[in-house]
Amino acid sequence: MIYWDHNAAAPVRAEVASLLARAFSQGGHGNASSVHAAGREARARLDAARARVARVLGCEPKEICFTASGSEADALALVGAFHARPVAERRRVVTSSVEHPALLGAVARLEREGAQVERVAPGADGRVREEDLLAALTPDTALCSLMWANNETGVVQPAAEISRACRKQGVLFHTDAVQAAGKVPLSLREVDADLLSLSAHKFGGPSGVGVLVVRKGVDVQALTPGHQEGGRRGGTQNIPHAEALALALELAASEQPQVASHVGALRDAFEQAVLAEVPGVAVNGAGAPRVPNTSNLRFDGVEGEALLIALDLEGICVSMGAACASGTLTPSHVLRAMGLTAAEARGSLRFSLGSETREDDVRQVVDALRRHVPTVRALAG
């Protein structure tokens, strides 16, 4: 099998799998809120995991809030920070129209609850123009959210520039960094965000654990009441998963330059070969800065789902867009926001490579596309 859907879920690293196996088989099941010896041991492990994550990101351990997913982290950031805002008259939320469905769902909830929301559209290359987003920041803006890198196109957004502008204007800034971790250098020294979301299964950790960074001085209202995570998220913490996330993040950060160089060269070779050998293909997001592992290709006159199935039958795993939106017939909101027609959006596939991708894989995928695209195109009429 050739697995090119790392933006949906990256394989769990062997080191992380070993850690989880030991954690679940060798005892140490204390609750971190208990005061007895087992509870104190659990608390020490949780604190250590929190400190390791903070060290990678360049923040303080107490600013790390463990969640069950990146989607939960996004919702806690947007809904929690908006309802805990110190200046009640600020009721405006600014974001982009190419955010992850989890973020857009949280924004839609705030809109139903009375927030004034502006969704800034990107250019044709999928990148939100800095000047367009800055123009949307008015004195009544409470919160701005802009993803670090897009999950479908891989386009890197101007999060660093917008974070600095928000800081000057007293606007809370959140960035969904789920697709940036392990692909670009990730540090709060680069993007001065008040809130930042991560999800372990995007960089070699297990599904079911994420992080929301909540910088000092920023309040969030818990979505699930409880005393855990500094009162920001109730519920007994999953300590093995927190440790697994910390390990996966450390490994991803340390290997990022080498992996980026490796997958970037393969991604570029893949795009060049497809454009040369398969007629009627374009790169969505071409011309914009992109994370090195992601290629979103538009096949003219092709039903993407049919092409995806044809590739799947050959053991090639790719995607039509956000994994959270799979199974729907609605064209990608990201590609539509970029100006593509519904047919063009439906004819697009995402190829997201990983560290295990090899040159032979590139050749096999290109050959499969060269054979299947004409057939699928002919069937579509």
Side-chain angles (χ1 to χ4, degrees):
M1 183 175 69
I2 296 176
Y3 184 76
W4 278 18
D5 200 17
H6 287 74
N7 286 13
V12 175
R13 296 185 58 123
E15 303 95 326
V16 174
S18 296
L19 180 153
L20 288 170
R22 292 194 303 272
F24 285 116
S25 64
Q26 296 179 2
H29 306 304
N31 187 315
S33 297
S34 299
V35 297
H36 48 59
R40 295 194 300 274
E41 178 188 354
R43 169 59 63 181
R45 291 171 55 196
L46 183 63
D47 289 344
R50 203 183 304 279
R52 291 164 64 188
V53 173
R55 193 175 304 118
V56 173
L57 297 179
C59 63
E60 297 182 15
K62 63 183 178 182
E63 295 176 322
I64 299 298
C65 174
F66 288 110
T67 67
S69 64
S71 294
E72 183 193 348
D74 281 347
L76 180 57
L78 270 289
V79 178
F82 184 81
H83 287 306
R85 65 196 186 286
V87 184
E89 61 268 21
R90 289 195 175 199
R91 300 195 58 79
R92 182 176 172 83
V93 176
V94 175
T95 188
S96 84
S97 56
V98 293
E99 300 294 312
H100 188 275
L103 192 288
L104 292 177
V107 169
R109 170 178 168 176
L110 290 178
E111 198 168 31
R112 292 191 299 270
E113 295 172 352
Q116 300 168 353
V117 175
E118 179 158 356
R119 302 167 181 84
V120 179
D125 61 359
R127 196 166 199 257
V128 177
R129 301 289 177 259
E130 181 182 347
E131 57 270 25
D132 292 343
L133 208 146
L134 290 178
L137 299 178
T138 58
D140 61 343
T141 302
L143 180 62
C144 175
S145 183
L146 180 67
M147 63 188 350
W148 196 315
N150 187 265
N151 51 300
E152 295 191 32
T153 62
V155 170
V156 177
Q157 303 295 342
E161 295 83 351
I162 300 304
S163 69
R164 290 192 288 269
C166 286
R167 180 75 61 194
K168 291 178 181 177
Q169 298 185 37
V171 175
L172 288 178
F173 179 73
H174 166 258
T175 188
D176 179 338
V178 166
Q179 293 294 341
K183 299 168 186 172
V184 297
L186 191 68
S187 171
L188 284 158
R189 300 180 186 92
E190 171 66 19
V191 175
D192 187 19
D194 297 290
L195 301 146
L196 180 146
S197 304
L198 291 177
S199 187
H201 73 290
K202 306 298 187 181
F203 49 83
S207 299
V209 60
V211 158
L212 176 65
V213 178
V214 183
R215 302 305 297 273
K216 187 191 312 183
V218 177
D219 291 326
V220 293
Q221 186 179 102
L223 303 182
T224 304
H227 68 273
Q228 294 89 348
E229 297 303 297
R232 296 171 296 206
R233 181 183 187 268
T236 301
Q237 295 97 334
N238 188 329
I239 295 172
H241 275 203
E243 294 174 319
L245 183 149
L247 175 60
L249 185 62
E250 289 172 335
L251 294 171
S254 66
E255 298 172 3
Q256 184 274 323
Q258 295 78 18
V259 172
S261 176
H262 171 71
V263 298
L266 294 178
R267 191 275 307 274
D268 292 347
F270 166 68
E271 290 184 349
Q272 292 166 10
V274 172
L275 293 175
E277 300 179 32
V278 183
V281 181
V283 178
N284 296 321
R290 292 181 289 159
V291 292
N293 80 313
T294 304
S295 178
N296 193 299
L297 300 183
R298 181 173 74 252
F299 300 89
D300 294 342
V302 166
E303 284 292 336
E305 187 174 9
L307 182 56
L308 185 151
I309 292 171
L311 295 175
D312 185 42
L313 291 173
E314 290 204 19
I316 299 170
C317 301
V318 299
S319 173
M320 286 190 70
C324 297
S326 62
T328 69
L329 297 178
T330 304
S332 160
H333 73 280
V334 172
L335 300 182
R336 293 288 279 145
M338 292 166 59
L340 273 65
T341 67
E344 289 172 332
R346 285 196 294 266
S348 298
L349 293 182
R350 180 185 68 188
F351 304 80
S352 48
L353 290 61
S355 60
E356 77 281 5
T357 302
R358 299 292 176 259
E359 291 184 13
D360 288 347
D361 299 335
V362 172
R363 190 65 253 169
Q364 289 185 55
V365 177
V366 173
D367 288 343
L369 290 171
R370 185 169 44 79
R371 287 183 285 105
H372 289 300
V373 168
T375 302
V376 174
R377 187 173 281 151
L379 289 173

